[in-house]
């Protein structure tokens, strides 16, 4: 159903490295793509991996005391569960969006969703509001960025793809290691609401820059590489 909806969208200008730049500087372009993909994973999934800091704060704000033998479900856990769920659920929509508007614009859209959801969360004081903003909107943004940055390096490299994909995905762990203490520092220096807004601006700007590097390898380069390999095989043949 969503594919039919996306197919009706007008063709928009693609964001990213220009085709001529990629053809003139293929090695540099490939390096930019890998670095940008790593940073996209760092900023997007790093936010999800640092949710423990938010959970601690939300526990203080919303958790109620358990009565008797029954235990209430923590609202903080519910917000995190919604965030992670929409992170992965939205990847199918993001994949179709890539086919329609390109990798760069899809990354930018994901970054805007992530940033807008997190910024709006800075104004929320109810669990359902945070579930909609930091949960659904921000989670969907992370999933949109994730699907692009985790797959785009394979269009540039035919060898060592496993290593490069692992390298890009390591940005998720590194992001959690950096963003978690950064979030805690911002909360301690300012307040929870201010820290969330500041983090939203940082992530929004960062992913906007990442989108510039999200370009697939031009077909001309693929065809030239295939022709070179075919020529090499012919020269090696007896």
């Amino acid at each position: 159903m969503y594919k039919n909806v996306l197919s009706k969208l007008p063709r928009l200008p693609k964001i990213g490295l220009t085709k001529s730049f990629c053809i003139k500087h293929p090695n540099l372009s490939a390096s930019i793509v890998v670095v940008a993909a790593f940073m996209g994973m760092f900023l997007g999934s790093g936010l999800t991996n640092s949710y423990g800091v938010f959970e601690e704060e939300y526990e203080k704000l919303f958790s109620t005391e358990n009565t008797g033998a029954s235990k209430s479900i923590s609202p903080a856990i519910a917000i995190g569960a919604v965030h992670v769920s929409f992170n992965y659920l939205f990847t199918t929509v993001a994949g179709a969006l890539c086919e329609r508007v390109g990798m760069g614009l899809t990354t930018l859209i994901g970054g805007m969703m992530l940033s807008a959801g997190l910024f709006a969360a800075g104004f929320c004081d109810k669990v359902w509001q945070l579930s909609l903003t930091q949960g659904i909107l921000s989670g969907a943004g992370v999933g949109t960025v994730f699907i692009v940055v985790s797959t785009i390096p394979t269009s540039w490299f035919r060898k060592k793809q496993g290593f490069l994909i692992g390298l890009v995905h390591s940005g998720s762990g590194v992001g959690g290691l950096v963003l978690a203490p950064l979030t805690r520092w911002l909360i301690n220096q300012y307040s929870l609401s201010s820290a969330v807004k500041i983090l939203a601006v940082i992530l929004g700007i960062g992913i906007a820059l990442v989108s510039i590097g999200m370009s697939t390898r031009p077909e001309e380069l693929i065809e030239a590489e295939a022709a070179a390999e075919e020529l090499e095989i012919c020269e090696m043949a007896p």
Side-chain angles (χ1 to χ4, degrees):
M1 178 180 177
Y2 60 84
K3 288 186 176 180
N4 293 331
V5 174
L6 292 176
S7 65
K8 296 178 181 179
L9 291 176
R11 288 286 182 180
L12 300 174
K14 292 186 178 181
I15 296 175
L17 300 175
T18 63
K19 186 176 181 180
S20 59
F21 180 86
C22 292
I23 294 175
K24 292 179 181 178
H25 310 282
N27 294 332
L28 178 59
S29 299
S31 301
I32 291 174
V33 167
V34 171
V35 172
F38 176 88
M39 291 306 301
M41 192 70 71
F42 176 97
L43 296 170
S45 295
L47 172 66
T48 300
N49 289 340
S50 61
Y51 178 75
V53 180
F54 295 104
E55 183 177 0
E56 182 180 352
E57 296 297 319
Y58 294 153
E59 286 281 0
K60 297 176 184 177
L61 290 174
F62 304 119
S63 290
T64 57
E65 295 182 359
N66 298 325
T67 58
S70 62
K71 294 184 178 180
S72 60
I73 299 176
S74 167
I77 294 176
I79 297 168
V82 171
H83 176 90
V84 174
S85 298
F86 273 83
N87 182 338
Y88 291 102
L89 286 172
F90 210 78
T91 54
T92 54
V93 180
L97 189 62
C98 286
E99 298 175 358
R100 183 65 187 177
V101 301
M103 297 286 199
L105 188 54
T106 300
T107 304
L108 182 60
I109 292 172
M112 292 171 61
M113 293 168 62
L114 187 162
S115 180
L118 201 59
F119 193 84
F123 297 95
C124 299
D125 56 3
K126 298 290 189 298
V127 174
W128 69 268
Q129 294 171 344
L130 287 166
S131 296
L132 289 175
T133 54
Q134 188 170 358
I136 295 178
L137 185 56
S138 184
V142 172
T144 302
V145 174
F146 175 86
I147 197 64
V148 178
V149 301
S150 62
T151 58
I152 197 168
T154 59
S155 72
W156 282 91
F157 298 90
R158 298 182 61 182
K159 299 179 181 179
K160 299 182 179 180
Q161 286 188 357
F163 168 77
L164 291 170
I165 292 175
L167 178 64
V168 170
H169 279 263
S170 69
S172 176
V174 178
L177 289 173
V178 175
L179 293 181
L182 174 61
T183 302
R184 170 52 60 196
W185 181 83
L186 289 172
I187 293 173
N188 293 339
Q189 288 292 117
Y190 305 100
S191 64
L192 176 60
S193 60
S194 297
V196 171
K197 295 171 188 174
I198 294 171
L199 195 61
V201 173
I202 293 173
L203 296 180
I205 295 174
I207 296 177
L209 294 175
V210 165
S211 67
I212 298 174
M214 294 293 99
S215 293
T216 54
R217 186 169 56 165
E219 294 182 1
E220 288 83 348
L221 289 178
I222 299 175
E223 294 173 356
E225 183 178 305
E229 289 182 356
E230 184 177 351
L231 180 61
E232 183 178 351
I233 292 174
C234 292
E235 291 177 350
M236 293 176 61

